[in-house]
Each structure stands twice: as C-alpha cells, then as structure tokens.
Amino acid sequence: DVKVTQSSRYLVKRTGEKVFLECVQDMDHENMFWYRQDPGLGLRLIYFSYDVKMKEKGDIPEGYSVSREKKERFSLILESASTNQTSMYLCASKFSSGANVLTFGAGSRLTVL
Amino acid sequence: QKEVEQDPGPLSVPEGAIVSLNCTYSNSAFQYFMWYRQYSRKGPELLMYTYSSGNKEDGRFTAQVDKSSKYISLFIRDSQPSDSATYLCAMKSQGAQKLVFGQGTRLTINP
C-alpha cells in the first residue's frame, strides 16, 4: 500500500560528497515536492516540479538541485554536502488539480559529518 | 512575520482530555486548510481537509476555520495515547501549487 517511496531512510555522508535522494510515487501525480524538516523550523520547501522536466525553486533551494526525467520519479541532489544540510528530507506528491492534498513519503534522515 | 504561525509546544495532556490545536495566518487568500499528523520517524499524513470557512467532523476530530479571524483549530475529543504525534497545519490559496505549513505542535497524551 506504499504510495510515495523514498529509497533511503537513513544516510550518513561526509562533507563534500555528492548525495542523491530518490523519490518514486505510484499515484500518477503531476506535482512532486522536496521539503526539509528541522526542529523549530517546520517544513521548508526546497524545490518542486509540476510536470516532467519542469522544476521551480522553493523557499530554500541554495545548495540543492533536482531532476525529474519521469513522471513518477523526483530526485534531490546535493552537489557538495555540508554539515548544515543534516536534516530530515521529505518527498511529497499530489495531483495538479482537485483536492490538492499532499501525500508524503516516510522521509530520509541525512547526516553530514 | 511568518505567513502561518503555530505554537510548537510541546503540549502534554492526560488521556481523555479535549485537545485544542491552533494556527493563525496572515494571507486572506488562503482557502484550503489541512491538518497533518506526523508520528515519530514517519512522514506526515493527512488528517483533516477543509475548504473555506466552517467546521468539519471526523470521529473524535473536529476542524474549524474562522476566515474572519484568520484562525484555524483542530479539536481532539477523548484523546488517546495513540494520538501522540506532531500536528501540522497547512493551507493554500486558489490556484497555488504550494502549501504553506505551520511549524507543527508536538502533542503527548499521557495514559
């Protein structure tokens, strides 16, 4: 019954490493989102995509990039990980019209040493 | 000032109590209001969804929207230890693709 799958639940990386976080949804949603969640700061939008190969910056895109080559897959890339990118990363998806309800994945906890 | 304000808590109440969780917002264009529940080490899941003003009830949960005051609430009746979680409010305006989230309130129900 899993609908939004984040491939890695826990990752530990070193400063300067390139990091890929993968997200796949099986609900045929047009829109996909990447958030990070930090204590005291809530959910902050990094990037979102409203269609294949389309992307828009969210509120905190610096240090991140994304890729959406297929409708069901949305990847978050940290080109050169830094310690301040240690966080919980949440992927979500929704239809572009209708109820506009987000469905979230279980999250990826990234630690950068 | 944040568009959506939510007291992060933590909030701790005894089992069986009525819980009130609240968010205020500044953007009068918001029309869609949601409450998400997030258990520890899990992603948020939709709990309640309301369009425009009014009340919506689902079992022990009631969502209220007061657009004139720019204030939304979630009430939990007969609270259970299984209700212990972080509750996030979220809202959006017509035509917008992005939701705006509150910080989340961490709630603990004590047996």
Side-chain angles (χ1 to χ4, degrees), chain A residues 2-7 21-34 49-54 67-76 91-94 103:
Chain A
V2 175
K3 295 179 174 156
V4 178
T5 304
Q6 294 184 231
S7 56
L21 298 179
E22 302 286 334
C23 176
V24 177
Q25 52 93 5
D26 63 1
M27 295 167 288
D28 204 33
H29 286 167
E30 293 88 7
N31 301 161
M32 296 188 74
F33 303 78
W34 275 105
S49 169
Y50 48 87
D51 205 347
V52 177
K53 296 190 186 294
M54 308 299 279
S67 172
R68 189 148 181 222
E69 296 297 317
K70 293 185 177 181
K71 188 176 185 179
E72 66 271 19
R73 188 179 298 270
F74 192 35
S75 302
L76 180 69
C91 175
S93 68
K94 70 175 185 68
T103 300

Side-chain angles (χ1 to χ4, degrees), chain A residues 40-70:
Chain A
L41 298 176
L43 269 70
R44 293 181 292 168
L45 182 64
I46 305 170
Y47 266 97
F48 69 102
S49 169
Y50 48 87
D51 205 347
V52 177
K53 296 190 186 294
M54 308 299 279
K55 61 185 179 184
E56 282 200 26
K57 294 179 180 179
D59 300 317
I60 51 162
E62 295 79 18
Y64 303 94
S65 62
V66 291
S67 172
R68 189 148 181 222
E69 296 297 317
K70 293 185 177 181

Side-chain angles (χ1 to χ4, degrees), chain A residues 1 5 12 37 52 60-61 70 83-84 91 107 109:
Chain A
D1 190 38
T5 304
V12 179
Q37 185 175 30
V52 177
I60 51 162
K70 293 185 177 181
T83 55
N84 63 12
C91 175
R109 169 75 62 183

